[in-house]
Amino acid sequence: MDDELEKYFKDFMKAMPTEDLYLEAVRDIVKDLIKEYIKKKMNEDETIKKELATVLEEFMESRVKQYDAMISMTKIIAKIGLVSAPEGVKSEMYEDFMKVFKNEIEAVIRKTL
């Protein structure tokens, strides 16, 4: 009987959440409280909301410009590669560039949408 009780107690203790789980839960609760506090303060001041909206818009525009610059750079690198490649390799190289950059451009577009 003692062995069964000991086994039951050990199994029960294994099923109990660890202190890491509690710490993570408390961290999440504190994060939520901080978010609520920040939202409350932002809603109290209309100028902060407008400034945040402006900053977010500028941030999105800069990200789009960054992706546009990356695409432009990629095009130039491809042109340099094609111009400097030997004639026998150009067509194969062109096809490889198209495959690689098509996938990269699709990935960039997916990230922005």
Side-chain angles (χ1 to χ4, degrees):
M1 183 79 173
D2 288 335
D3 290 337
E4 289 180 26
L5 185 60
E6 186 177 337
K7 182 181 182 305
Y8 176 78
F9 184 70
K10 284 182 181 179
D11 289 343
F12 178 76
M13 291 305 289
K14 285 181 186 176
M16 294 294 293
T18 65
E19 57 273 359
D20 292 339
L21 182 62
Y22 286 110
L23 287 173
E24 186 178 327
V26 169
R27 238 181 272 139
D28 288 344
I29 291 169
V30 170
K31 281 174 38 178
D32 290 341
L33 290 172
I34 291 170
K35 286 180 194 177
E36 288 176 26
Y37 178 78
I38 290 172
K39 285 179 186 177
K40 179 182 171 192
K41 290 297 180 183
M42 282 179 44
N43 288 332
E44 291 174 1
D45 189 344
E46 200 62 34
T47 58
I48 291 177
K49 287 173 71 173
K50 289 178 182 177
E51 287 177 23
L52 180 61
T54 302
V55 168
L56 286 174
E57 188 176 315
E58 290 171 359
F59 176 77
M60 294 302 294
E61 286 176 13
S62 68
R63 293 297 288 199
V64 169
K65 287 179 182 179
Q66 178 186 5
Y67 289 131
D68 187 45
M70 288 171 48
I71 291 169
S72 296
M73 191 181 315
T74 302
K75 285 172 35 180
I76 291 172
I77 291 169
K79 285 180 183 180
I80 292 170
L82 286 172
V83 169
S84 62
E87 288 297 323
V89 180
K90 280 187 181 181
S91 64
E92 184 180 332
M93 192 171 146
Y94 177 76
E95 289 174 18
D96 289 341
F97 272 133
M98 292 304 290
K99 286 179 190 175
V100 170
F101 295 125
K102 178 183 175 193
N103 293 337
E104 291 294 322
I105 291 170
E106 287 176 355
V108 168
I109 291 171
R110 281 192 198 107
K111 286 180 184 178
T112 58
L113 297 179

